[in-house]
mmCIF file of all heavy atoms in Angstrom:
data_model
loop_
_atom_site.group_PDB
_atom_site.id
_atom_site.type_symbol
_atom_site.label_atom_id
_atom_site.label_comp_id
_atom_site.label_asym_id
_atom_site.label_seq_id
_atom_site.Cartn_x
_atom_site.Cartn_y
_atom_site.Cartn_z
ATOM 1 N N ASP W 1 45.014 3.878 -4.768
ATOM 2 C CA ASP W 1 44.749 5.362 -4.268
ATOM 3 C C ASP W 1 45.941 6.127 -3.986
ATOM 4 O O ASP W 1 46.101 7.293 -4.427
ATOM 5 C CB ASP W 1 43.709 5.355 -3.232
ATOM 6 C CG ASP W 1 42.379 4.801 -3.642
ATOM 7 O OD1 ASP W 1 42.147 4.647 -4.770
ATOM 8 O OD2 ASP W 1 41.539 4.463 -2.709
ATOM 9 N N ARG W 2 46.864 5.507 -3.192
ATOM 10 C CA ARG W 2 47.958 6.278 -2.693
ATOM 11 C C ARG W 2 49.147 6.420 -3.640
ATOM 12 O O ARG W 2 49.933 7.294 -3.501
ATOM 13 C CB ARG W 2 48.512 5.647 -1.435
ATOM 14 C CG ARG W 2 47.446 5.637 -0.265
ATOM 15 C CD ARG W 2 47.986 5.240 1.124
ATOM 16 N NE ARG W 2 46.993 5.382 2.084
ATOM 17 C CZ ARG W 2 46.715 6.490 2.740
ATOM 18 N NH1 ARG W 2 47.387 7.560 2.516
ATOM 19 N NH2 ARG W 2 45.774 6.478 3.687
ATOM 20 N N PHE W 3 49.187 5.509 -4.681
ATOM 21 C CA PHE W 3 50.245 5.648 -5.646
ATOM 22 C C PHE W 3 49.670 6.213 -7.027
ATOM 23 O O PHE W 3 50.405 6.204 -8.034
ATOM 24 C CB PHE W 3 50.976 4.323 -5.823
ATOM 25 C CG PHE W 3 51.832 3.888 -4.658
ATOM 26 C CD1 PHE W 3 51.348 3.091 -3.656
ATOM 27 C CD2 PHE W 3 53.156 4.430 -4.592
ATOM 28 C CE1 PHE W 3 52.169 2.697 -2.721
ATOM 29 C CE2 PHE W 3 53.868 4.127 -3.509
ATOM 30 C CZ PHE W 3 53.460 3.237 -2.569
ATOM 31 N N ASN W 4 48.523 6.651 -7.048
ATOM 32 C CA ASN W 4 47.878 7.177 -8.242
ATOM 33 C C ASN W 4 48.607 8.405 -8.704
ATOM 34 O O ASN W 4 48.887 8.664 -9.936
ATOM 35 C CB ASN W 4 46.497 7.470 -8.081
ATOM 36 C CG ASN W 4 45.781 7.897 -9.328
ATOM 37 O OD1 ASN W 4 45.897 7.188 -10.367
ATOM 38 N ND2 ASN W 4 45.099 8.921 -9.288
ATOM 39 N N ASN W 5 49.001 9.311 -7.687
ATOM 40 C CA ASN W 5 49.652 10.601 -7.996
ATOM 41 C C ASN W 5 51.118 10.237 -8.586
ATOM 42 O O ASN W 5 51.446 10.945 -9.528
ATOM 43 C CB ASN W 5 49.897 11.400 -6.778
ATOM 44 C CG ASN W 5 50.426 12.740 -7.082
ATOM 45 O OD1 ASN W 5 50.103 13.359 -8.040
ATOM 46 N ND2 ASN W 5 51.416 13.125 -6.197
ATOM 47 N N HIS W 6 51.795 9.232 -8.031
ATOM 48 C CA HIS W 6 53.084 8.850 -8.592
ATOM 49 C C HIS W 6 52.984 8.372 -10.078
ATOM 50 O O HIS W 6 53.877 8.735 -10.844
ATOM 51 C CB HIS W 6 53.619 7.709 -7.719
ATOM 52 C CG HIS W 6 54.077 8.165 -6.298
ATOM 53 N ND1 HIS W 6 53.054 8.481 -5.400
ATOM 54 C CD2 HIS W 6 55.263 8.208 -5.698
ATOM 55 C CE1 HIS W 6 53.669 8.812 -4.296
ATOM 56 N NE2 HIS W 6 54.970 8.678 -4.415
ATOM 57 N N LYS W 7 51.920 7.609 -10.352
ATOM 58 C CA LYS W 7 51.754 7.123 -11.749
ATOM 59 C C LYS W 7 51.499 8.289 -12.658
ATOM 60 O O LYS W 7 51.994 8.240 -13.777
ATOM 61 C CB LYS W 7 50.653 6.102 -11.723
ATOM 62 C CG LYS W 7 50.900 4.855 -10.979
ATOM 63 C CD LYS W 7 49.668 3.932 -10.937
ATOM 64 C CE LYS W 7 49.909 2.713 -10.126
ATOM 65 N NZ LYS W 7 48.801 1.767 -10.060
ATOM 66 N N GLU W 8 50.777 9.313 -12.183
ATOM 67 C CA GLU W 8 50.463 10.430 -13.146
ATOM 68 C C GLU W 8 51.758 11.257 -13.340
ATOM 69 O O GLU W 8 51.908 11.759 -14.493
ATOM 70 C CB GLU W 8 49.495 11.283 -12.461
ATOM 71 C CG GLU W 8 48.063 10.727 -12.331
ATOM 72 C CD GLU W 8 47.082 11.619 -11.735
ATOM 73 O OE1 GLU W 8 47.415 12.728 -11.222
ATOM 74 O OE2 GLU W 8 45.892 11.307 -11.641
ATOM 75 N N ILE W 9 52.585 11.308 -12.368
ATOM 76 C CA ILE W 9 53.866 12.143 -12.529
ATOM 77 C C ILE W 9 54.795 11.489 -13.570
ATOM 78 O O ILE W 9 55.373 12.145 -14.362
ATOM 79 C CB ILE W 9 54.524 12.178 -11.162
ATOM 80 C CG1 ILE W 9 53.745 13.171 -10.231
ATOM 81 C CG2 ILE W 9 55.977 12.792 -11.339
ATOM 82 C CD1 ILE W 9 54.209 13.249 -8.820
ATOM 83 N N ILE W 10 54.877 10.175 -13.479
ATOM 84 C CA ILE W 10 55.887 9.493 -14.425
ATOM 85 C C ILE W 10 55.285 9.009 -15.722
ATOM 86 O O ILE W 10 55.987 8.470 -16.541
ATOM 87 C CB ILE W 10 56.438 8.278 -13.689
ATOM 88 C CG1 ILE W 10 55.335 7.168 -13.556
ATOM 89 C CG2 ILE W 10 57.152 8.594 -12.398
ATOM 90 C CD1 ILE W 10 55.912 5.766 -13.355
ATOM 91 N N SER W 11 53.981 9.368 -15.961
ATOM 92 C CA SER W 11 53.345 8.840 -17.158
ATOM 93 C C SER W 11 54.066 9.345 -18.423
ATOM 94 O O SER W 11 54.180 8.574 -19.407
ATOM 95 C CB SER W 11 51.857 9.336 -17.218
ATOM 96 O OG SER W 11 51.821 10.805 -17.110
ATOM 97 N N GLY W 12 54.628 10.566 -18.444
ATOM 98 C CA GLY W 12 55.270 11.099 -19.599
ATOM 99 C C GLY W 12 56.670 10.589 -19.654
ATOM 100 O O GLY W 12 57.367 10.421 -20.816
ATOM 101 N N PHE W 13 57.327 10.334 -18.550
ATOM 102 C CA PHE W 13 58.677 9.918 -18.470
ATOM 103 C C PHE W 13 58.950 8.456 -18.971
ATOM 104 O O PHE W 13 60.034 8.063 -19.240
ATOM 105 C CB PHE W 13 59.272 10.103 -17.039
ATOM 106 C CG PHE W 13 59.537 11.534 -16.603
ATOM 107 C CD1 PHE W 13 58.752 12.127 -15.687
ATOM 108 C CD2 PHE W 13 60.526 12.254 -17.181
ATOM 109 C CE1 PHE W 13 58.917 13.388 -15.277
ATOM 110 C CE2 PHE W 13 60.869 13.477 -16.698
ATOM 111 C CZ PHE W 13 59.922 14.188 -15.799
ATOM 112 N N GLN W 14 57.836 7.655 -18.922
ATOM 113 C CA GLN W 14 57.919 6.312 -19.337
ATOM 114 C C GLN W 14 58.527 6.067 -20.705
ATOM 115 O O GLN W 14 59.351 5.073 -20.824
ATOM 116 C CB GLN W 14 56.607 5.528 -19.166
ATOM 117 C CG GLN W 14 55.979 5.418 -17.804
ATOM 118 C CD GLN W 14 56.589 4.174 -17.080
ATOM 119 O OE1 GLN W 14 57.523 3.555 -17.566
ATOM 120 N NE2 GLN W 14 55.895 3.793 -16.047
ATOM 121 N N VAL W 15 58.304 6.945 -21.577
ATOM 122 C CA VAL W 15 58.661 6.814 -22.935
ATOM 123 C C VAL W 15 60.157 6.999 -23.012
ATOM 124 O O VAL W 15 60.790 6.541 -24.050
ATOM 125 C CB VAL W 15 57.982 7.838 -23.916
ATOM 126 C CG1 VAL W 15 58.500 9.253 -23.566
ATOM 127 C CG2 VAL W 15 58.131 7.489 -25.275
ATOM 128 N N LEU W 16 60.798 7.509 -22.010
ATOM 129 C CA LEU W 16 62.334 7.701 -22.101
ATOM 130 C C LEU W 16 63.040 6.386 -21.732
ATOM 131 O O LEU W 16 64.204 6.200 -22.082
ATOM 132 C CB LEU W 16 62.756 8.821 -21.100
ATOM 133 C CG LEU W 16 62.112 10.152 -21.375
ATOM 134 C CD1 LEU W 16 62.668 11.129 -20.241
ATOM 135 C CD2 LEU W 16 62.390 10.680 -22.775
ATOM 136 N N ILE W 17 62.375 5.524 -21.034
ATOM 137 C CA ILE W 17 62.944 4.329 -20.572
ATOM 138 C C ILE W 17 62.491 3.073 -21.414
ATOM 139 O O ILE W 17 63.257 2.280 -21.880
ATOM 140 C CB ILE W 17 62.628 4.035 -19.154
ATOM 141 C CG1 ILE W 17 63.023 5.166 -18.150
ATOM 142 C CG2 ILE W 17 63.349 2.714 -18.546
ATOM 143 C CD1 ILE W 17 64.488 5.541 -18.096
ATOM 144 N N ASN W 18 61.139 3.051 -21.636
ATOM 145 C CA ASN W 18 60.638 1.984 -22.463
ATOM 146 C C ASN W 18 60.007 2.517 -23.729
ATOM 147 O O ASN W 18 59.653 3.635 -23.862
ATOM 148 C CB ASN W 18 59.465 1.279 -21.600
ATOM 149 C CG ASN W 18 59.991 0.894 -20.193
ATOM 150 O OD1 ASN W 18 61.026 0.392 -20.181
ATOM 151 N ND2 ASN W 18 59.215 1.141 -19.207
ATOM 152 N N SER W 19 59.923 1.643 -24.681
ATOM 153 C CA SER W 19 59.249 1.987 -26.022
ATOM 154 C C SER W 19 57.824 1.961 -25.910
ATOM 155 O O SER W 19 57.066 1.063 -26.516
ATOM 156 C CB SER W 19 59.758 1.088 -27.115
ATOM 157 O OG SER W 19 61.245 1.175 -27.210
ATOM 158 N N CYS W 20 57.256 2.790 -25.116
ATOM 159 C CA CYS W 20 55.736 2.804 -24.950
ATOM 160 C C CYS W 20 55.159 3.981 -25.767
ATOM 161 O O CYS W 20 55.825 4.645 -26.443
ATOM 162 C CB CYS W 20 55.438 2.942 -23.496
ATOM 163 S SG CYS W 20 56.127 4.315 -22.638
ATOM 164 N N ALA W 21 53.823 4.110 -25.601
ATOM 165 C CA ALA W 21 53.084 5.062 -26.459
ATOM 166 C C ALA W 21 53.506 6.496 -25.940
ATOM 167 O O ALA W 21 53.970 6.749 -24.870
ATOM 168 C CB ALA W 21 51.625 4.889 -26.192
ATOM 169 N N LYS W 22 53.397 7.490 -26.931
ATOM 170 C CA LYS W 22 53.842 8.861 -26.750
ATOM 171 C C LYS W 22 52.735 9.799 -26.308
ATOM 172 O O LYS W 22 52.788 10.961 -26.516
ATOM 173 C CB LYS W 22 54.611 9.353 -27.967
ATOM 174 C CG LYS W 22 55.787 8.482 -28.371
ATOM 175 C CD LYS W 22 56.296 9.042 -29.725
ATOM 176 C CE LYS W 22 57.377 8.063 -30.283
ATOM 177 N NZ LYS W 22 57.827 8.431 -31.583
ATOM 178 N N SER W 23 51.550 9.156 -25.948
ATOM 179 C CA SER W 23 50.360 9.956 -25.674
ATOM 180 C C SER W 23 50.587 11.009 -24.674
ATOM 181 O O SER W 23 50.005 12.189 -24.660
ATOM 182 C CB SER W 23 49.234 9.081 -25.303
ATOM 183 O OG SER W 23 49.552 8.255 -24.213
ATOM 184 N N ASP W 24 51.400 10.668 -23.585
ATOM 185 C CA ASP W 24 51.505 11.673 -22.454
ATOM 186 C C ASP W 24 52.832 12.548 -22.640
ATOM 187 O O ASP W 24 53.209 13.349 -21.776
ATOM 188 C CB ASP W 24 51.675 10.916 -21.135
ATOM 189 C CG ASP W 24 50.425 10.053 -20.740
ATOM 190 O OD1 ASP W 24 49.379 10.682 -20.958
ATOM 191 O OD2 ASP W 24 50.517 8.906 -20.378
ATOM 192 N N LEU W 25 53.514 12.363 -23.740
ATOM 193 C CA LEU W 25 54.725 13.079 -23.985
ATOM 194 C C LEU W 25 54.428 14.616 -24.225
ATOM 195 O O LEU W 25 55.161 15.441 -23.745
ATOM 196 C CB LEU W 25 55.470 12.544 -25.131
ATOM 197 C CG LEU W 25 56.873 13.157 -25.448
ATOM 198 C CD1 LEU W 25 57.796 12.923 -24.305
ATOM 199 C CD2 LEU W 25 57.444 12.519 -26.692
ATOM 200 N N HIS W 26 53.360 14.912 -24.808
ATOM 201 C CA HIS W 26 52.996 16.267 -25.029
ATOM 202 C C HIS W 26 52.779 17.037 -23.724
ATOM 203 O O HIS W 26 53.235 18.286 -23.596
ATOM 204 C CB HIS W 26 51.728 16.396 -25.915
ATOM 205 C CG HIS W 26 51.328 17.759 -26.374
ATOM 206 N ND1 HIS W 26 50.627 18.679 -25.604
ATOM 207 C CD2 HIS W 26 51.784 18.390 -27.532
ATOM 208 C CE1 HIS W 26 50.554 19.812 -26.284
ATOM 209 N NE2 HIS W 26 51.084 19.735 -27.490
ATOM 210 N N HIS W 27 52.122 16.411 -22.777
ATOM 211 C CA HIS W 27 51.884 17.030 -21.483
ATOM 212 C C HIS W 27 53.287 17.248 -20.743
ATOM 213 O O HIS W 27 53.368 18.282 -20.155
ATOM 214 C CB HIS W 27 50.959 16.190 -20.654
ATOM 215 C CG HIS W 27 50.819 16.770 -19.222
ATOM 216 N ND1 HIS W 27 50.075 17.918 -18.928
ATOM 217 C CD2 HIS W 27 51.296 16.317 -18.037
ATOM 218 C CE1 HIS W 27 50.106 18.139 -17.629
ATOM 219 N NE2 HIS W 27 50.848 17.240 -17.099
ATOM 220 N N LEU W 28 54.210 16.287 -20.879
ATOM 221 C CA LEU W 28 55.526 16.390 -20.234
ATOM 222 C C LEU W 28 56.262 17.588 -20.800
ATOM 223 O O LEU W 28 56.881 18.297 -20.025
ATOM 224 C CB LEU W 28 56.196 15.101 -20.369
ATOM 225 C CG LEU W 28 57.594 15.043 -19.745
ATOM 226 C CD1 LEU W 28 57.493 15.052 -18.255
ATOM 227 C CD2 LEU W 28 58.346 13.721 -20.212
ATOM 228 N N VAL W 29 56.256 17.638 -22.121
ATOM 229 C CA VAL W 29 57.019 18.755 -22.827
ATOM 230 C C VAL W 29 56.457 20.094 -22.490
ATOM 231 O O VAL W 29 57.228 21.055 -22.259
ATOM 232 C CB VAL W 29 57.023 18.530 -24.319
ATOM 233 C CG1 VAL W 29 57.702 19.735 -25.012
ATOM 234 C CG2 VAL W 29 57.785 17.224 -24.693
ATOM 235 N N LYS W 30 55.184 20.170 -22.440
ATOM 236 C CA LYS W 30 54.516 21.440 -21.975
ATOM 237 C C LYS W 30 54.857 21.879 -20.585
ATOM 238 O O LYS W 30 55.023 22.979 -20.262
ATOM 239 C CB LYS W 30 53.005 21.288 -22.253
ATOM 240 C CG LYS W 30 52.248 22.613 -21.953
ATOM 241 C CD LYS W 30 50.760 22.441 -22.186
ATOM 242 C CE LYS W 30 50.062 23.743 -21.909
ATOM 243 N NZ LYS W 30 48.533 23.579 -22.147
ATOM 244 N N TYR W 31 54.885 20.911 -19.750
ATOM 245 C CA TYR W 31 55.136 21.243 -18.337
ATOM 246 C C TYR W 31 56.612 21.705 -18.089
ATOM 247 O O TYR W 31 56.845 22.651 -17.337
ATOM 248 C CB TYR W 31 54.922 19.951 -17.439
ATOM 249 C CG TYR W 31 54.935 20.200 -15.959
ATOM 250 C CD1 TYR W 31 53.876 20.772 -15.265
ATOM 251 C CD2 TYR W 31 56.166 20.003 -15.186
ATOM 252 C CE1 TYR W 31 53.871 21.017 -13.872
ATOM 253 C CE2 TYR W 31 56.133 20.235 -13.867
ATOM 254 C CZ TYR W 31 55.000 20.751 -13.232
ATOM 255 O OH TYR W 31 55.017 20.963 -11.838
#
């Protein structure tokens, strides 16, 4: 519960460090 907000914030940044899915990249670029 307490780290859920942290996970949402970095969801789009993960693709810059790891070769993960780009599903959240669109939201990051829009923000």
